[in-house]
Amino acid sequence: MQFISIDQAEQLGLPIPCRAFDPEVFFAETPADVEYAKSLCGTCPVKDACLTGAVERREPWGVWGGELFVQGVVVARKRPRGRPRKTEVAA
């Protein structure tokens, strides 16, 4: 698999979301904001290289390459603040 670098993407004029949006977007607190940040990565030309680099560096927090890192581990979803419910909620 061949990755495109940020420099190559910028030279080609390809949009890179993390360069166009406020970096705080990619370190969001709420689950909805995290999903928004992950969606921004969906069309990023350096998504694969970003994720690979984040795994290699063991990034502790944030959205990298369309994935959420929490304490250095990729997790599927961010849990909301507070205690979990004692009973299941109907979807």
Side-chain angles (χ1 to χ4, degrees):
M1 178 183 292
Q2 184 176 3
F3 296 130
I4 182 171
S5 72
I6 289 178
D7 292 336
Q8 290 170 326
E10 287 179 333
Q11 288 173 353
L12 294 171
L14 300 173
I16 303 171
C18 61
R19 297 279 174 104
F21 289 85
D22 182 356
E24 292 296 317
V25 169
F26 300 94
F27 297 93
E29 287 293 323
T30 66
D33 290 343
V34 167
E35 292 303 313
Y36 173 67
K38 288 168 65 174
S39 74
L40 292 175
C41 296
T43 59
C44 183
V46 297
K47 178 181 174 182
D48 294 334
C50 178
L51 179 58
T52 299
V55 169
E56 289 173 357
R57 291 187 307 273
R58 297 181 180 167
E59 287 292 342
W61 306 104
V63 174
W64 298 88
E67 298 292 339
L68 174 63
F69 285 73
V70 176
Q71 297 181 351
V73 177
V74 174
V75 296
R77 301 268 182 252
K78 177 150 178 97
R79 291 181 49 188
R81 289 184 151 191
R83 297 180 72 180
R85 295 178 183 259
K86 291 184 179 182
T87 59
E88 291 290 321
V89 176

